[in-house]
Every structure is written in C-alpha cells, then in structure tokens.
C-alpha cells in the first residue's frame, strides 16, 4: 500500500463532529494552514476550508481530496473555534498567494513533525507548546511553526504516517489533550 493510501485509511476514522457555528479569524504574522472565518453561504467547515484555501492560495476546491475533519472543533488561544480539515493536493500544484491574505506559501515534509532534530518545546500558561524550525530549500528562508499549527501537524503526521514522534507529545491535560491522546492511541494500536 502506498503512503498516500495508508494516510487516507488512517485518517478517515478521525472524523470530528458535523458542524460548529462560531467563525474563525486569521493569525496575522504566524505560520498557519489555510483557513479563516466561515461565511453565511458556507454549508459546513469543509466548504469554509475549501473556499478559504482557494481565496488564500488559489487552489480550486475540486483539486483537493478531502479526507476528514481531524477532531471536534477546539478553542484556540484567541478564543476562536477551530476545525481542522485534512486533504491531499497534487504535488504539482503551484500556489497563487493572495497578497491581501497571505505573504508566503511553502510546503513542509510531513516527516518533520515526528522528528526530534528540528523540534523544541516551550512553556505557556498551563501548557507546553511544540515548535519546529524549517529551512525551505527553495527560498532559503527559515520558518518557525508552533502552537496550534504545530499541534495539528503532529497529529496528522502521527496518524497519517503511523509513526510515533521521536519526542514527547505531551499536550498537557484537559479535554482537548485527552481527546487527542485518546484518538492517537486508538489509531496507533490498530497499526
């Protein structure tokens, strides 16, 4: 079985709830996945994610193979409700960033998020946050990927690749961390 099919099989069982109402906002100046506020015409989080990805980086929705909603919606540090939608795009896709919304677009190998080499953790009130350094060989730029973006990337990497990280993934305690740890343990036990 190829890696994409294994990732799809592992992630398909990770469907979160069907919908959430509160809108999302962007995190200006931070490395983030495409996404944003739901519009009244959006039918659900998947529609919002596909519309936002097209607006931000120019990918037509029919060129995204949506796999799942990763988890139930969670509350971000800014008090916003966030739903992670996971999909595949063709490796030949050339982004067309909307300069009003996105300053740069870059691709990161999923394996980065299970390797210790470029990983660190730092404290925040009541939790530890994961951080990764990534050197983009195309641009020569160094990026820091941290916080919720890093947490989602770790979860996707663990589930899609079927590999435990080389570092402790302690996400703290409480309902969000408990749900993530439970979901990861359940999926990994099937591998």
């Amino acid at each position: 079985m190829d890696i994409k099919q294994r990732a799809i099989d592992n992630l398909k069982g990770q469907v979160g709830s069907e919908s959430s109402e509160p809108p999302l906002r962007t995190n200006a100046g931070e490395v983030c996945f495409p996404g944003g506020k739901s519009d009244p015409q959006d039918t659900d989080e998947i529609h919002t994610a596909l519309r936002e990805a097209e607006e931000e980086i120019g990918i037509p929705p029919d060129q995204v193979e949506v796999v799942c909603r990763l988890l139930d919606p969670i509350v971000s540090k800014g008090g916003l409700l966030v739903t992670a939608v996971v999909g595949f795009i063709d490796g030949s896709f050339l982004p067309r960033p909307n300069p009003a919304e996105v300053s740069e677009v870059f691709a990161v190998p999923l394996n980065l998020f299970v390797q210790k080499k470029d990983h660190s953790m730092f404290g925040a009130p009541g939790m530890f946050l994961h951080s990764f350094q990534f050197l983009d060989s195309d641009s020569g730029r160094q990026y820091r990927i941290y916080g919720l973006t890093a947490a989602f990337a770790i979860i996707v990497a663990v589930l899609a690749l079927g590999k435990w990280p080389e570092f402790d993934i302690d996400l703290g305690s409480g309902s969000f961390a408990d749900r993530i740890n439970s979901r990861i343990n359940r999926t990994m036990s099937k591998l």
Side-chain angles (χ1 to χ4, degrees):
M1 178 183 319
D2 72 358
I3 191 166
K4 179 180 175 186
Q5 189 57 51
R6 186 175 70 217
I8 290 171
D9 291 347
N10 288 347
L11 288 165
K12 281 221 181 215
Q14 307 306 318
V15 179
S17 65
E18 287 300 313
S19 107
S20 61
E21 293 301 318
L24 308 181
R25 291 187 214 162
T26 60
N27 293 327
E30 295 181 14
V31 171
C32 305
F33 293 111
K37 182 179 179 182
S38 61
D39 284 349
Q41 72 270 18
D42 292 342
T43 55
D44 59 17
E45 290 90 347
I46 292 173
H47 187 262
T48 300
L50 293 173
R51 179 186 51 74
E52 285 285 339
E54 184 172 31
E55 287 176 9
E56 293 179 7
I57 64 171
I59 187 161
D62 64 351
Q63 290 184 24
V64 179
E65 182 181 350
V66 175
V67 178
C68 69
R69 285 180 187 90
L70 188 59
L71 302 164
D72 291 337
I74 63 157
V75 179
S76 74
K77 68 180 179 194
L80 304 171
L81 198 59
V82 178
T83 299
V85 175
V86 179
F88 282 94
I89 59 173
D90 189 271
S92 64
F93 167 68
L94 295 174
R96 296 180 321 277
N98 175 347
E101 300 207 26
V102 177
S103 61
E104 298 176 71
V105 177
F106 58 97
V108 180
L110 200 51
N111 229 16
L112 176 82
F113 301 104
V114 293
Q115 296 174 344
K116 188 174 186 170
K117 179 180 171 249
D118 296 305
H119 172 264
S120 62
M121 287 179 71
F122 59 95
M127 70 177 85
F128 286 97
L129 299 176
H130 294 272
S131 177
F132 296 88
Q133 295 296 322
F134 173 67
L135 176 61
D136 183 15
S137 60
D138 292 335
S139 69
R141 297 249 353 241
Q142 181 86 21
Y143 297 95
R144 180 174 176 230
I145 304 164
Y146 66 97
L148 191 55
T149 301
F152 281 146
I154 292 167
I155 295 162
V156 170
V158 167
L159 296 173
L161 300 175
K163 294 167 97 175
W164 283 108
E166 297 170 352
F167 50 84
D168 182 11
I169 60 170
D170 180 17
L171 298 170
S173 61
S175 61
F176 170 64
D178 293 341
R179 286 194 325 252
I180 292 171
N181 290 326
S182 172
R183 188 117 353 144
I184 289 172
N185 287 329
R186 207 170 41 245
T187 301
M188 292 302 286
S189 70
K190 296 176 187 175
L191 300 177

